[in-house]
Amino acid sequence: MSHSFKETPHNAITDSGIARVIPCKELDLGDPLKWLALGWRDLVRAPLLTAFYGLIFAAIPWLITYLVNLTGWHLVILPSIVCFMLIGPFLAAGLYDVSWELEKGHKPSLWHSIKAIKRNAVNEWAFGILLLVLMIFWLRVASIIHALYPPYLEDNLENLLPFLALGTVVGAGFTMLVFFISVFTQPVLMERRIDLASAVLTSMNVVWTNKLPMMIWGLIIATAVGIGFVTGFAAFVILMPLIGYATWHGYIDSIELKRERHYE
């Protein structure tokens, strides 16, 4: 179980002076599994909202795949996967609201969750633009990788493998960067009226201070995404809402809050 540090740890993030950094707690290795359990509880308590958001998350990669098959440009699959992971935290705002409402003892509603983006609108939309810029940058890098593919080679696995491997390495780097700066940024912006820089630095500080637990959490998210793609995106209907709910509880567990939450 997470607990407050006896002395607030200092690092380049907390001492940067760029913006306020909300202190984080010290996490245990088993905390990510606890977040999943709490997320599952929220999923069971709000099945209709879970299905609504889950279907959206499943429809997005399905549409990407359809467009890829329609155009025949199969090398766009990998960057499309990364793009999906880039915008995931932004789209999950509604799921965070559902968990927040359940935490407060309220009955969550679709309209209330849709309006979640308006609580700290300027900074939340700025966060969306930040993710969009990263996505565009990744697409440009992916297009460069694609340009390296000789047009005279046949489209078979043996010929595509070096370029897929390069794309995988670069894509993994972008994914780690997005995870580092965004894992709890959206929940911070939703609960507190703070600026984007403070929210991003707070998220980065949690990851940097709790490297192993957050690495486990990152692997859980990556595994969920992998299962979703292996099942033809059908598993996203359950897994993406589960990750969204669990992320909210991870935020509550990781950040020093104005008031403590107590779970049963």
Side-chain angles (χ1 to χ4, degrees), residues 153-176:
L153 293 179
E154 295 183 6
D155 289 340
N156 54 53
L157 181 60
E158 183 179 357
N159 291 331
L160 290 174
L161 190 58
F163 300 94
L164 292 176
L166 177 59
T168 299
V169 172
V170 177
F174 274 101
T175 303
M176 290 176 61

Side-chain angles (χ1 to χ4, degrees), residues 1-3 25-42 216-217 220 242 245-254 261-264:
M1 180 176 292
S2 67
H3 53 275
K25 297 180 181 179
E26 184 175 9
L27 301 175
D28 293 332
L29 293 179
D31 283 336
L33 296 180
K34 181 184 70 174
W35 305 341
L36 281 178
L38 292 170
W40 180 260
R41 186 181 68 177
D42 291 347
I216 293 173
W217 180 235
I220 289 174
L242 175 61
Y245 298 146
T247 297
W248 174 262
H249 292 290
Y251 158 67
I252 296 300
D253 213 22
S254 303
R261 269 75 164 189
H262 298 284
Y263 296 110
E264 297 176 359

